[in-house]
Amino acid sequence: MGQRLTLNGITKNVYSDEWYTSQETVNLAIGLLDPKPQSVILCPFDSDQSLFVKTLKDHGHTVLHGMSNFLEANYHCDYIITNPPFSIKDKVIERVYAYGVKTVLILPIDAMGGVKRHSMYAANEYPKTYMPSRRISYFDESGEVKKGSSFHSIIMTFNHGEQSSIQWGN
């Protein structure tokens, strides 16, 4: 019996864009977001089992999550934080600029380059970037470390209202 292929509900891709983030990376990203107490935080690509959702709720925030229409709809929020499907990263970056609220995204390192992204960054505000020394570990739905993470990821902060910078991890 072969693996059953299903469409991803957000990207409509047959392959999986489901790469779950470790608690260590979640804590780092939330620290970069530095939300004010009792904020409304949008985690559009996350389920109620997401470590982003669980950790933010544990810290007393209201967390909106699981929006399959994030790219079209408007939600009231103070912040956005998520590990979006990498296959739609340009649309997500464009969308968070339109929201105008401080946003932290976990993205592949190639999000730093590209003509379209550079145009978006120049027209808005260059993101602050945290570059870990090691590859970020991702997990599958069962909690097992996902094999094949042959790429480096970065954590980018958008709409931060500060001078752009690159911070290197330990």
Side-chain angles (χ1 to χ4, degrees), residues 5-24:
L5 297 176
T6 57
L7 284 179
N8 179 296
I10 296 168
T11 64
K12 307 302 182 215
N13 292 324
V14 174
Y15 61 87
S16 177
D17 255 350
E18 297 295 324
W19 292 64
Y20 297 93
T21 314
S22 71
Q23 188 68 58
E24 178 183 11

PDB file of all heavy atoms in Angstrom, residues 5-24:
ATOM      1  N   LEU A   5      -1.734  10.485  -0.894  1.00  0.00           N
ATOM      2  CA  LEU A   5      -1.440  11.892  -1.132  1.00  0.00           C
ATOM      3  C   LEU A   5      -2.724  12.704  -1.004  1.00  0.00           C
ATOM      4  O   LEU A   5      -3.748  12.361  -1.575  1.00  0.00           O
ATOM      5  CB  LEU A   5      -0.841  12.093  -2.525  1.00  0.00           C
ATOM      6  CG  LEU A   5       0.491  11.398  -2.770  1.00  0.00           C
ATOM      7  CD1 LEU A   5       0.934  11.601  -4.213  1.00  0.00           C
ATOM      8  CD2 LEU A   5       1.555  11.917  -1.827  1.00  0.00           C
ATOM      9  N   THR A   6      -2.642  13.769  -0.237  1.00  0.00           N
ATOM     10  CA  THR A   6      -3.782  14.661  -0.073  1.00  0.00           C
ATOM     11  C   THR A   6      -3.337  16.081  -0.346  1.00  0.00           C
ATOM     12  O   THR A   6      -2.168  16.420  -0.208  1.00  0.00           O
ATOM     13  CB  THR A   6      -4.358  14.571   1.358  1.00  0.00           C
ATOM     14  OG1 THR A   6      -3.314  14.878   2.282  1.00  0.00           O
ATOM     15  CG2 THR A   6      -4.903  13.192   1.647  1.00  0.00           C
ATOM     16  N   LEU A   7      -4.293  16.909  -0.699  1.00  0.00           N
ATOM     17  CA  LEU A   7      -3.992  18.308  -0.934  1.00  0.00           C
ATOM     18  C   LEU A   7      -3.820  19.035   0.382  1.00  0.00           C
ATOM     19  O   LEU A   7      -4.602  18.852   1.308  1.00  0.00           O
ATOM     20  CB  LEU A   7      -5.121  18.985  -1.720  1.00  0.00           C
ATOM     21  CG  LEU A   7      -5.202  18.693  -3.201  1.00  0.00           C
ATOM     22  CD1 LEU A   7      -6.394  19.418  -3.806  1.00  0.00           C
ATOM     23  CD2 LEU A   7      -3.935  19.091  -3.924  1.00  0.00           C
ATOM     24  N   ASN A   8      -2.799  19.875   0.471  1.00  0.00           N
ATOM     25  CA  ASN A   8      -2.621  20.742   1.617  1.00  0.00           C
ATOM     26  C   ASN A   8      -3.758  21.760   1.583  1.00  0.00           C
ATOM     27  O   ASN A   8      -4.045  22.348   0.543  1.00  0.00           O
ATOM     28  CB  ASN A   8      -1.252  21.425   1.519  1.00  0.00           C
ATOM     29  CG  ASN A   8      -0.989  22.364   2.656  1.00  0.00           C
ATOM     30  OD1 ASN A   8      -1.678  23.353   2.812  1.00  0.00           O
ATOM     31  ND2 ASN A   8       0.030  22.060   3.431  1.00  0.00           N
ATOM     32  N   GLY A   9      -4.413  21.999   2.718  1.00  0.00           N
ATOM     33  CA  GLY A   9      -5.576  22.883   2.773  1.00  0.00           C
ATOM     34  C   GLY A   9      -5.289  24.340   2.484  1.00  0.00           C
ATOM     35  O   GLY A   9      -6.184  25.094   2.142  1.00  0.00           O
ATOM     36  N   ILE A  10      -4.055  24.771   2.627  1.00  0.00           N
ATOM     37  CA  ILE A  10      -3.720  26.174   2.410  1.00  0.00           C
ATOM     38  C   ILE A  10      -3.078  26.382   1.054  1.00  0.00           C
ATOM     39  O   ILE A  10      -3.487  27.226   0.275  1.00  0.00           O
ATOM     40  CB  ILE A  10      -2.796  26.686   3.531  1.00  0.00           C
ATOM     41  CG1 ILE A  10      -3.553  26.639   4.868  1.00  0.00           C
ATOM     42  CG2 ILE A  10      -2.295  28.088   3.239  1.00  0.00           C
ATOM     43  CD1 ILE A  10      -2.692  26.828   6.078  1.00  0.00           C
ATOM     44  N   THR A  11      -2.049  25.591   0.758  1.00  0.00           N
ATOM     45  CA  THR A  11      -1.293  25.810  -0.471  1.00  0.00           C
ATOM     46  C   THR A  11      -1.871  25.085  -1.669  1.00  0.00           C
ATOM     47  O   THR A  11      -1.518  25.386  -2.794  1.00  0.00           O
ATOM     48  CB  THR A  11       0.171  25.356  -0.296  1.00  0.00           C
ATOM     49  OG1 THR A  11       0.193  23.941  -0.066  1.00  0.00           O
ATOM     50  CG2 THR A  11       0.836  26.086   0.855  1.00  0.00           C
ATOM     51  N   LYS A  12      -2.742  24.112  -1.423  1.00  0.00           N
ATOM     52  CA  LYS A  12      -3.346  23.274  -2.468  1.00  0.00           C
ATOM     53  C   LYS A  12      -2.303  22.439  -3.194  1.00  0.00           C
ATOM     54  O   LYS A  12      -2.509  21.995  -4.298  1.00  0.00           O
ATOM     55  CB  LYS A  12      -4.161  24.109  -3.474  1.00  0.00           C
ATOM     56  CG  LYS A  12      -5.202  25.010  -2.843  1.00  0.00           C
ATOM     57  CD  LYS A  12      -6.186  24.251  -2.004  1.00  0.00           C
ATOM     58  CE  LYS A  12      -7.235  25.194  -1.425  1.00  0.00           C
ATOM     59  NZ  LYS A  12      -7.686  24.849  -0.120  1.00  0.00           N
ATOM     60  N   ASN A  13      -1.145  22.233  -2.553  1.00  0.00           N
ATOM     61  CA  ASN A  13      -0.097  21.376  -3.096  1.00  0.00           C
ATOM     62  C   ASN A  13      -0.352  19.938  -2.670  1.00  0.00           C
ATOM     63  O   ASN A  13      -0.910  19.692  -1.609  1.00  0.00           O
ATOM     64  CB  ASN A  13       1.278  21.805  -2.571  1.00  0.00           C
ATOM     65  CG  ASN A  13       1.696  23.147  -3.106  1.00  0.00           C
ATOM     66  OD1 ASN A  13       1.408  23.481  -4.247  1.00  0.00           O
ATOM     67  ND2 ASN A  13       2.366  23.926  -2.286  1.00  0.00           N
ATOM     68  N   VAL A  14       0.089  19.002  -3.485  1.00  0.00           N
ATOM     69  CA  VAL A  14      -0.042  17.595  -3.132  1.00  0.00           C
ATOM     70  C   VAL A  14       1.031  17.208  -2.111  1.00  0.00           C
ATOM     71  O   VAL A  14       0.795  16.425  -1.227  1.00  0.00           O
ATOM     72  CB  VAL A  14       0.043  16.694  -4.385  1.00  0.00           C
ATOM     73  CG1 VAL A  14       0.045  15.226  -4.001  1.00  0.00           C
ATOM     74  CG2 VAL A  14      -1.117  16.988  -5.326  1.00  0.00           C
ATOM     75  N   TYR A  15       2.208  17.808  -2.197  1.00  0.00           N
ATOM     76  CA  TYR A  15       3.266  17.481  -1.244  1.00  0.00           C
ATOM     77  C   TYR A  15       3.011  18.214   0.075  1.00  0.00           C
ATOM     78  O   TYR A  15       2.250  19.166   0.145  1.00  0.00           O
ATOM     79  CB  TYR A  15       4.638  17.841  -1.797  1.00  0.00           C
ATOM     80  CG  TYR A  15       4.797  19.315  -2.104  1.00  0.00           C
ATOM     81  CD1 TYR A  15       5.209  20.203  -1.115  1.00  0.00           C
ATOM     82  CD2 TYR A  15       4.540  19.810  -3.372  1.00  0.00           C
ATOM     83  CE1 TYR A  15       5.338  21.548  -1.389  1.00  0.00           C
ATOM     84  CE2 TYR A  15       4.679  21.148  -3.655  1.00  0.00           C
ATOM     85  CZ  TYR A  15       5.078  22.015  -2.653  1.00  0.00           C
ATOM     86  OH  TYR A  15       5.211  23.341  -2.924  1.00  0.00           O
ATOM     87  N   SER A  16       3.679  17.767   1.104  1.00  0.00           N
ATOM     88  CA  SER A  16       3.453  18.332   2.431  1.00  0.00           C
ATOM     89  C   SER A  16       4.309  19.558   2.673  1.00  0.00           C
ATOM     90  O   SER A  16       5.515  19.533   2.474  1.00  0.00           O
ATOM     91  CB  SER A  16       3.754  17.288   3.501  1.00  0.00           C
ATOM     92  OG  SER A  16       3.609  17.859   4.773  1.00  0.00           O
ATOM     93  N   ASP A  17       3.668  20.616   3.116  1.00  0.00           N
ATOM     94  CA  ASP A  17       4.347  21.808   3.598  1.00  0.00           C
ATOM     95  C   ASP A  17       4.258  21.837   5.124  1.00  0.00           C
ATOM     96  O   ASP A  17       4.427  22.868   5.732  1.00  0.00           O
ATOM     97  CB  ASP A  17       3.669  23.068   3.044  1.00  0.00           C
ATOM     98  CG  ASP A  17       4.471  23.728   1.937  1.00  0.00           C
ATOM     99  OD1 ASP A  17       5.619  23.347   1.704  1.00  0.00           O
ATOM    100  OD2 ASP A  17       3.921  24.642   1.303  1.00  0.00           O
ATOM    101  N   GLU A  18       3.954  20.704   5.728  1.00  0.00           N
ATOM    102  CA  GLU A  18       3.765  20.609   7.170  1.00  0.00           C
ATOM    103  C   GLU A  18       5.078  20.261   7.852  1.00  0.00           C
ATOM    104  O   GLU A  18       5.456  19.109   7.930  1.00  0.00           O
ATOM    105  CB  GLU A  18       2.698  19.554   7.507  1.00  0.00           C
ATOM    106  CG  GLU A  18       1.329  19.880   6.971  1.00  0.00           C
ATOM    107  CD  GLU A  18       0.728  21.133   7.594  1.00  0.00           C
ATOM    108  OE1 GLU A  18       0.946  21.382   8.795  1.00  0.00           O
ATOM    109  OE2 GLU A  18       0.050  21.873   6.876  1.00  0.00           O
ATOM    110  N   TRP A  19       5.756  21.270   8.338  1.00  0.00           N
ATOM    111  CA  TRP A  19       6.990  21.104   9.080  1.00  0.00           C
ATOM    112  C   TRP A  19       6.792  21.834  10.395  1.00  0.00           C
ATOM    113  O   TRP A  19       6.712  23.059  10.433  1.00  0.00           O
ATOM    114  CB  TRP A  19       8.163  21.701   8.301  1.00  0.00           C
ATOM    115  CG  TRP A  19       8.506  20.966   7.049  1.00  0.00           C
ATOM    116  CD1 TRP A  19       7.717  20.813   5.940  1.00  0.00           C
ATOM    117  CD2 TRP A  19       9.707  20.274   6.772  1.00  0.00           C
ATOM    118  NE1 TRP A  19       8.372  20.080   5.000  1.00  0.00           N
ATOM    119  CE2 TRP A  19       9.604  19.736   5.476  1.00  0.00           C
ATOM    120  CE3 TRP A  19      10.888  20.069   7.475  1.00  0.00           C
ATOM    121  CZ2 TRP A  19      10.623  18.996   4.888  1.00  0.00           C
ATOM    122  CZ3 TRP A  19      11.897  19.343   6.888  1.00  0.00           C
ATOM    123  CH2 TRP A  19      11.763  18.816   5.605  1.00  0.00           C
ATOM    124  N   TYR A  20       6.710  21.096  11.484  1.00  0.00           N
ATOM    125  CA  TYR A  20       6.413  21.675  12.788  1.00  0.00           C
ATOM    126  C   TYR A  20       7.691  22.145  13.470  1.00  0.00           C
ATOM    127  O   TYR A  20       8.752  21.556  13.313  1.00  0.00           O
ATOM    128  CB  TYR A  20       5.656  20.655  13.645  1.00  0.00           C
ATOM    129  CG  TYR A  20       4.330  20.302  13.020  1.00  0.00           C
ATOM    130  CD1 TYR A  20       4.214  19.209  12.168  1.00  0.00           C
ATOM    131  CD2 TYR A  20       3.210  21.077  13.254  1.00  0.00           C
ATOM    132  CE1 TYR A  20       3.006  18.888  11.575  1.00  0.00           C
ATOM    133  CE2 TYR A  20       1.993  20.767  12.660  1.00  0.00           C
ATOM    134  CZ  TYR A  20       1.901  19.672  11.825  1.00  0.00           C
ATOM    135  OH  TYR A  20       0.709  19.368  11.231  1.00  0.00           O
ATOM    136  N   THR A  21       7.557  23.193  14.256  1.00  0.00           N
ATOM    137  CA  THR A  21       8.678  23.889  14.856  1.00  0.00           C
ATOM    138  C   THR A  21       8.941  23.401  16.277  1.00  0.00           C
ATOM    139  O   THR A  21       8.006  23.195  17.042  1.00  0.00           O
ATOM    140  CB  THR A  21       8.372  25.403  14.866  1.00  0.00           C
ATOM    141  OG1 THR A  21       7.857  25.780  13.581  1.00  0.00           O
ATOM    142  CG2 THR A  21       9.609  26.217  15.135  1.00  0.00           C
ATOM    143  N   SER A  22      10.207  23.261  16.634  1.00  0.00           N
ATOM    144  CA  SER A  22      10.589  22.795  17.971  1.00  0.00           C
ATOM    145  C   SER A  22      10.326  23.864  19.027  1.00  0.00           C
ATOM    146  O   SER A  22      10.239  25.059  18.717  1.00  0.00           O
ATOM    147  CB  SER A  22      12.080  22.426  17.993  1.00  0.00           C
ATOM    148  OG  SER A  22      12.868  23.605  17.902  1.00  0.00           O
ATOM    149  N   GLN A  23      10.245  23.435  20.292  1.00  0.00           N
ATOM    150  CA  GLN A  23      10.026  24.377  21.389  1.00  0.00           C
ATOM    151  C   GLN A  23      11.165  25.390  21.479  1.00  0.00           C
ATOM    152  O   GLN A  23      10.921  26.570  21.726  1.00  0.00           O
ATOM    153  CB  GLN A  23       9.866  23.631  22.721  1.00  0.00           C
ATOM    154  CG  GLN A  23       9.450  24.543  23.873  1.00  0.00           C
ATOM    155  CD  GLN A  23       8.043  25.080  23.702  1.00  0.00           C
ATOM    156  OE1 GLN A  23       7.096  24.317  23.601  1.00  0.00           O
ATOM    157  NE2 GLN A  23       7.891  26.402  23.672  1.00  0.00           N
ATOM    158  N   GLU A  24      12.378  24.951  21.245  1.00  0.00           N
ATOM    159  CA  GLU A  24      13.529  25.858  21.289  1.00  0.00           C
ATOM    160  C   GLU A  24      13.384  26.986  20.260  1.00  0.00           C
ATOM    161  O   GLU A  24      13.602  28.157  20.565  1.00  0.00           O
ATOM    162  CB  GLU A  24      14.814  25.072  21.033  1.00  0.00           C
ATOM    163  CG  GLU A  24      16.065  25.914  21.017  1.00  0.00           C
ATOM    164  CD  GLU A  24      17.319  25.114  20.684  1.00  0.00           C
ATOM    165  OE1 GLU A  24      17.213  23.936  20.266  1.00  0.00           O
ATOM    166  OE2 GLU A  24      18.408  25.677  20.837  1.00  0.00           O
TER     167      GLU A  24
END
